[in-house]
Amino acid sequence: CRCCAEGRRHSSILYSILRSEERAVPPARPAPRGCPCGSRRRLALRSPQVACKAASAVLVKTLRFVQNVPCFQELPLEEQLLLVRSCWAPLLLLGLAQDRVHLETVESAEPSMLQSILTARQQGERAPAPGRPQHGPHLPSAGDIQAIKGFLAKCWSLDISTKEYAYLKGTVLFNPDLPGLHCTQYIEGLQREAQQALNEHVRLIHRGDEARFAKLNVVLSLLRSINANVVAELFFRPIIGAVNMDDMLLEMLCAKL
C-alpha cells in the first residue's frame, strides 16, 4: 500500500514530531496477600467530577497529540481508528501520569449476599446464586484501582521526562500486531523508530543509568495489564453514564480539536 511504500520516508518524521510533545502542551502500597476478598472490594472515585474532568482534558490533549503526528495522518482513516480504539486507554494513563493526576478513592457500599437475598424475597424476585455476578454497572475493584495506582506510582518514581513520555506514546500508538491492519510494515517501522529514539535519548541523558531503558519498558508492560473497560468505568461512567468509547473516540478524532 502507499503507506508501506512511503514508510522509510516518513519514519524519520516521527522522531521530530514525538519530540514536539515537549512544546505542545503547557508509592502505592502492594495489595495484601492471603484472602482475595480485599481485591474484590468495589471502589469509586472520591470526587468523580474532578477526576473525570481531568481525565477528559487529558484525553482531548492526547488525541490532539496523535493528530499532530504526520506519520499517523498518512494512514487511512480506518487504520487510524483501529489504532486509537486499541490504545486510547494506555495513552490516557500515560497522559494522567505525565500530568500527575492523583486518584482518591473510597470504598463503595455493596450489599452483602444476605442483604441481596432478603431484598430479592421482599420484592418477589429470584435471589442471586452464590458467586454469580449481579446485574448493574461494573465498579472497578480494589485490584483494578491498585493496578492503575501502581502504574502511576511507577511512572512518578522514574521521573519520566516529556520526551520519554512522547516516545512511550509512540510505541503504544503504533502497534503493528492489531488484527485488521493493512499497513503493518509501515506501522511496525514507526514503532521501532519510537523505541530507537527512546533508547538514544536515555543513553544521552541518563548515561549512568544503564537499566533505565528496561525500566521504561516495564512501564509499558504494566499498561498491558490494565483493562480498557476498567478505565472507561472509572473515569467516564460516573458523569457520562454507559458511554460508548468507540463512538466518542470517532467523534473526537474527526473533530478539529
Side-chain angles (χ1 to χ4, degrees):
C1 67
R2 176 173 62 88
C3 297
C4 296
E6 298 182 357
R8 183 172 300 175
R9 178 171 67 86
H10 289 292
S11 62
S12 60
I13 301 176
L14 175 65
Y15 185 87
S16 59
I17 293 300
L18 289 178
R19 292 183 63 182
S20 69
E21 170 88 350
E22 188 173 18
R23 305 185 302 271
V25 184
R29 296 180 180 178
R33 296 183 178 182
C35 177
C37 300
S39 64
R40 292 199 298 264
R41 295 197 322 271
R42 300 300 169 189
L43 299 181
L45 294 172
R46 182 182 296 275
S47 303
Q49 274 81 12
V50 174
C52 294
K53 183 178 180 180
S56 298
V58 170
L59 183 60
V60 170
K61 188 187 302 182
T62 298
L63 292 181
R64 182 183 292 120
F65 165 75
V66 169
Q67 286 185 318
N68 287 334
V69 179
C71 313
F72 179 80
Q73 289 297 324
E74 289 292 333
L75 291 165
L77 180 60
E78 295 78 9
E79 307 269 293
Q80 294 181 30
L81 292 176
L82 275 174
L83 292 175
V84 171
R85 284 171 176 168
S86 72
C87 72
W88 72 267
L91 287 180
L92 174 65
L93 292 173
L94 281 169
L96 292 174
Q98 185 174 4
D99 287 2
R100 291 191 172 267
V101 177
H102 291 264
L103 303 183
E104 294 186 22
T105 56
V106 293
E107 188 167 351
S108 177
E110 190 172 15
S112 66
M113 179 59 64
L114 178 59
Q115 290 174 319
S116 300
I117 293 174
L118 293 177
T119 302
R121 287 180 176 176
Q122 288 178 354
Q123 297 177 352
E125 300 173 358
R126 185 176 181 179
R132 180 176 299 176
Q134 301 180 37
H135 297 289
H138 168 70
L139 294 175
S141 67
D144 295 329
I145 301 295
Q146 181 60 35
I148 295 176
K149 286 188 172 183
F151 164 77
L152 296 175
K154 181 65 175 179
C155 292
W156 297 334
S157 70
L158 290 174
D159 195 19
I160 300 175
S161 69
T162 301
K163 289 182 179 179
E164 289 170 335
Y165 273 118
Y167 300 140
L168 290 173
K169 291 175 186 178
T171 301
V172 170
L173 174 62
F174 296 111
N175 179 8
D177 299 325
L178 296 176
L181 290 176
H182 298 288
C183 302
T184 52
Q185 292 182 359
Y186 176 65
I187 294 170
E188 184 177 10
L190 294 174
Q191 187 183 67
R192 185 167 54 250
E193 183 87 9
Q195 278 281 287
Q196 291 174 351
L198 176 62
N199 194 12
E200 292 173 8
H201 174 79
V202 168
R203 286 192 299 171
L204 179 64
I205 304 299
H206 301 276
R207 296 183 180 180
D209 189 354
E210 298 180 356
R212 184 170 181 82
F213 181 70
K215 293 176 182 177
L216 291 173
N217 277 283
V218 168
V219 167
L220 296 179
S221 67
L222 292 176
L223 276 176
R224 298 186 191 102
S225 66
I226 300 175
N227 191 298
N229 292 330
V230 171
V231 178
E233 290 286 343
L234 183 65
F235 292 109
F236 297 106
R237 180 182 284 274
I239 58 174
I240 302 179
V243 61
N244 186 317
M245 290 304 300
D246 283 353
D247 291 344
M248 189 171 78
L249 290 169
L250 175 61
E251 181 179 350
M252 295 177 70
L253 191 63
C254 294
K256 294 182 179 179
L257 298 177

